[in-house]
Amino acid sequence: MAKKARIVIIGAGMAGLTAANKLYTSSNDMFELSVVEGGSRIGGRINTSEFSSEKIEMGATWIHGIGGSPVYKIAKETGSLVSDEPWECMDSSIDKVKTFAEGGLEVDPSIVESISGLFNALMELAQGKEISQSDADLARLADIYETATRVCSPPSVGSFLKSGFDAYWDSISHGGGGDGVKGYGKWSRKSLEEAIFTMFSNTQRTYTSADDLSTLDFAAESEYQMFPGEEITIAKGYLSVIQHLASVLPQGVIQLNRKVRKIEWQSNEDRHVKLHFSDGSVVFADHVIVTVSLGVLKAGIGTDGELFSPPLPDFKSDAIKRLGYGVVNKLFVEMSQRNFPSLQLVFDREDSEFRFVKIPWWMRRTATIAPIHSNSKVLLSWFAGKEALELEKLTDEEIIDGVTTTISCLKGKEVKKDTAKTLGPLTNGSLSDGGEVMKITKVLRSKWGSDPLFRGSYSYVAVGSSGDDLDAMAEPLPKINKKVGQVNGHDHQAKVHELQVMFAGEATHRTHYSTTHGAYYSGLREANRLLKHYKCNF
């Protein structure tokens, strides 16, 4: 009896467990299958947790469009979209959002909506979408788009947005804009609108994980695909989808706390891939599906990295180096009461003399802080880039002080720590200090950047890379050109053992990178590749 092909999947996140699920359910017990996970839990960058007796997501949060999403399909079929208990972002809109500009000034919604419309239209144009506007607005946007694409350099999303705002301002002011806005103190109209535009840019940073949108490639933006329909969260938690995928696997297939130290491929052993684990043990396999994050791969091929032996071929390592990979973290804050409003935060320019020096730098690119649902005393704020990394280093006390100071300086109303003295009144704000003083009682933040199993949150197409690099990420090794009999570009007469090292994960999907459904599709892709290789009907 022929021995079974041994397949080892590295990582028990969405991609790894999707691949394992497909291989197990479609192969008629043809494979010896195992999933090795370096951490103590399954889920990877999906991590449903609890804070202040509320169900929260420390990692992946949203189903990005319910029309066609495989994640939505699983969640719906397993009853995960309904719950008797409240959950994070269960309300489509919690309440009317209030926007405050630095100095305790509430911004009129009409000003915010105008700039929101401009920002969203520019992003839709960058993504190659058709936008619905009146004929006059379309004509103006066409002029702005033409100007922005002509002058933005280098061709990044950030430079396009900046050029777009400048073109918009020129179109309405003919170079003016120094006049103040009635009732807005030291803010000029241009400075206020520019600061609001920056606020929306900061929200976009959390969508992409890029520290600066000027590092986000403009051309690749139109390749990224979105599912139609609303974006929702999962009532029973994102982990319920992961648990469903894992539930079909026999006990023992998933092995926790098994961290791979080195992947030795093209070996002369009977099974051609040799996995070295951090505990000193070794496992031989015919095929390995690597689903670790792009951040782990970047570290693994760096100057101190020896994850692959022999080293990866240039086409693969160059793609890993060129693609972007950033950090996004979530901060949860427990308040003493449940009636805190949803806030949008507008900060002054870095070079402004009117900035409040007490507001810490790591809060200044945070766009929102809002309750996680309408009856919650837990607030949520998102951080990206340098600020997200700084958040991981701060003590809880430093975070409470920073959030307290920021809200007080913007909202013009007292917020305090549970045990601290109340902040003094803000004399330059337009809001009164009256009413009950709220207290921040505790905080919880994610730490994806410093976790060695992830080293960040998700990928993006950086300036200098392209969708071709995402395709290169998905290529199995050794790369075989069957037409000319070459392996990794070199003549190879001996028998070639295909599909030794395979790759899955969100950073290997050209049009759905950075998402859980992209990870799902990639796991399915690699499982199907093996099933086809072994001529399984699937």
Side-chain angles (χ1 to χ4, degrees), residues 92 101 104 112 225 233 310:
S92 54
V112 180
Q225 292 180 10
T233 52

Side-chain angles (χ1 to χ4, degrees), residues 68 75 121 163 186 194 357 446 465 499:
S163 300
K186 48 87 180 178
E194 189 172 36
V357 294
S446 57
S465 62
L499 307 181

Side-chain angles (χ1 to χ4, degrees), residues 307-346:
L307 183 57
F308 296 94
S309 178
L312 296 178
D314 289 347
F315 85 90
K316 180 75 74 172
S317 60
D318 288 348
I320 291 170
K321 292 172 185 174
R322 282 191 294 258
L323 286 167
Y325 184 74
V327 184
V328 175
N329 277 318
K330 299 171 74 174
L331 171 65
F332 296 94
V333 177
E334 183 190 69
M335 303 298 291
S336 55
Q337 291 136 31
R338 298 181 185 274
N339 59 343
F340 198 89
S342 300
L343 300 181
Q344 292 189 137
L345 312 177
V346 179

Side-chain angles (χ1 to χ4, degrees), residues 37-48:
E37 165 57 49
S40 58
R41 60 175 181 82
I42 64 172
R45 284 166 276 176
I46 293 170
N47 185 13
T48 304

Side-chain angles (χ1 to χ4, degrees), residues 283-478:
V283 169
F284 291 92
D286 297 290
H287 311 282
V288 171
I289 304 178
V290 179
T291 73
V292 300
S293 75
L294 178 59
V296 171
L297 290 175
K298 283 178 178 287
I301 66 167
T303 51
D304 298 326
E306 297 179 341
L307 183 57
F308 296 94
S309 178
L312 296 178
D314 289 347
F315 85 90
K316 180 75 74 172
S317 60
D318 288 348
I320 291 170
K321 292 172 185 174
R322 282 191 294 258
L323 286 167
Y325 184 74
V327 184
V328 175
N329 277 318
K330 299 171 74 174
L331 171 65
F332 296 94
V333 177
E334 183 190 69
M335 303 298 291
S336 55
Q337 291 136 31
R338 298 181 185 274
N339 59 343
F340 198 89
S342 300
L343 300 181
Q344 292 189 137
L345 312 177
V346 179
F347 296 100
D348 213 338
R349 289 169 60 108
E350 199 171 316
D351 57 358
S352 170
E353 60 183 300
F354 301 110
R355 278 161 61 105
F356 279 68
V357 294
K358 289 183 178 180
I359 297 176
W361 69 269
W362 50 267
M363 280 294 298
R364 285 191 167 274
R365 290 203 293 174
T366 300
T368 60
I369 185 163
I372 61 172
H373 59 78
S374 57
N375 192 37
S376 181
K377 61 181 180 181
V378 175
L379 310 182
L380 168 62
S381 198
W382 295 76
F383 293 76
K386 292 188 291 288
E387 291 81 3
L389 286 170
E390 182 68 13
L391 189 72
E392 300 185 19
K393 303 173 188 174
L394 299 171
T395 65
D396 287 1
E397 190 73 10
E398 288 170 327
I399 292 172
I400 290 172
D401 281 341
V403 173
T404 299
T405 301
T406 302
I407 295 175
S408 298
C409 289
L410 267 76
K411 195 167 179 286
K413 194 170 184 176
E414 291 178 314
V415 179
K416 69 176 186 178
K417 297 181 293 179
D418 196 24
T419 56
K421 294 179 180 178
T422 304
L423 291 174
L426 294 170
T427 55
N428 61 341
S430 64
L431 298 179
S432 71
D433 277 292
E436 196 169 1
V437 176
M438 288 193 174
K439 299 174 183 177
I440 297 176
T441 50
K442 60 180 177 179
V443 299
L444 176 70
R445 65 298 188 39
S446 57
K447 296 182 178 181
W448 295 108
S450 55
D451 191 322
L453 295 177
F454 304 102
R455 296 180 179 268
S457 302
Y458 35 88
S459 64
Y460 63 94
V461 181
V463 171
S465 62
S466 70
D468 291 345
D469 287 330
L470 292 160
D471 285 342
M473 290 290 297
E475 282 276 351
L477 298 176

Side-chain angles (χ1 to χ4, degrees), residues 25-289:
T25 57
S26 301
S27 64
N28 196 26
D29 201 29
M30 177 179 285
F31 305 125
E32 183 184 326
L33 182 65
S34 60
V35 180
V36 293
E37 165 57 49
S40 58
R41 60 175 181 82
I42 64 172
R45 284 166 276 176
I46 293 170
N47 185 13
T48 304
S49 189
E50 192 176 278
F51 176 68
S52 187
S53 301
E54 300 264 25
K55 188 185 296 293
I56 59 166
E57 303 290 356
M58 297 297 285
T61 304
W62 296 93
I63 295 177
H64 294 289
I66 63 175
S69 166
V71 178
Y72 174 74
K73 185 172 183 286
I74 294 170
K76 186 177 181 181
E77 289 174 352
T78 56
S80 296
L81 297 178
V82 292
S83 175
D84 295 331
E85 301 295 324
W87 67 93
E88 184 182 338
C89 300
M90 61 185 282
D91 310 293
S92 54
S93 57
I94 297 169
D95 57 15
K96 197 170 181 65
V97 176
K98 296 176 182 292
T99 304
F100 283 90
E102 194 165 347
L105 302 163
E106 186 170 1
V107 184
D108 188 280
S110 64
I111 299 176
V112 180
E113 287 162 11
S114 172
I115 300 303
S116 173
L118 171 67
F119 184 88
N120 291 336
L122 286 170
M123 282 306 304
E124 287 176 0
L125 288 167
Q127 291 160 357
K129 298 177 182 175
E130 290 187 8
I131 56 176
S132 55
Q133 301 274 346
S134 67
D135 290 343
D137 286 340
L138 278 175
R140 188 177 69 151
L141 278 170
D143 289 340
I144 291 172
Y145 178 76
E146 190 276 330
T147 302
T149 50
R150 178 165 38 84
V151 303
C152 75
S153 180
S156 70
V157 171
S159 61
F160 169 75
L161 289 171
K162 182 183 184 305
S163 300
F165 179 82
D166 291 343
Y168 150 79
W169 186 255
D170 288 342
S171 74
I172 64 169
S173 67
H174 306 291
D179 295 339
V181 186
K182 189 176 180 181
Y184 287 87
K186 48 87 180 178
W187 289 95
S188 69
R189 180 180 174 186
K190 183 178 183 182
S191 67
L192 182 61
E193 291 192 351
E194 189 172 36
I196 294 168
F197 193 87
T198 299
M199 176 185 74
F200 290 117
S201 296
N202 283 329
T203 296
Q204 192 68 29
R205 288 170 57 242
T206 66
Y207 296 162
T208 65
S209 88
D211 176 63
D212 191 320
L213 296 181
S214 66
T215 64
L216 200 63
D217 186 71
F218 181 75
E221 194 67 20
S222 59
E223 275 198 277
Y224 187 84
Q225 292 180 10
M226 304 276 284
F227 289 121
E230 64 179 321
E231 300 197 5
I232 62 171
T233 52
I234 301 176
K236 288 188 171 67
Y238 233 113
L239 198 58
S240 63
V241 174
I242 290 292
Q243 289 165 339
H244 170 75
L245 292 169
S247 65
V248 304
L249 302 174
Q251 190 171 0
V253 169
I254 300 174
Q255 303 168 22
L256 300 179
N257 299 305
R258 294 278 283 154
K259 187 174 181 181
V260 174
R261 182 176 57 82
K262 181 186 286 188
I263 302 168
E264 198 175 332
W265 57 295
Q266 292 192 1
S267 75
N268 295 320
E269 304 287 345
D270 188 27
R271 300 187 193 267
H272 301 282
V273 187
K274 184 178 181 182
L275 298 178
H276 301 259
F277 290 85
S278 56
D279 63 2
S281 62
V282 171
V283 169
F284 291 92
D286 297 290
H287 311 282
V288 171
I289 304 178

Side-chain angles (χ1 to χ4, degrees), residues 511-524:
T511 57
H512 291 294
Y513 55 89
S514 81
T515 66
T516 55
H517 58 261
Y520 176 92
Y521 284 141
S522 73
L524 212 57

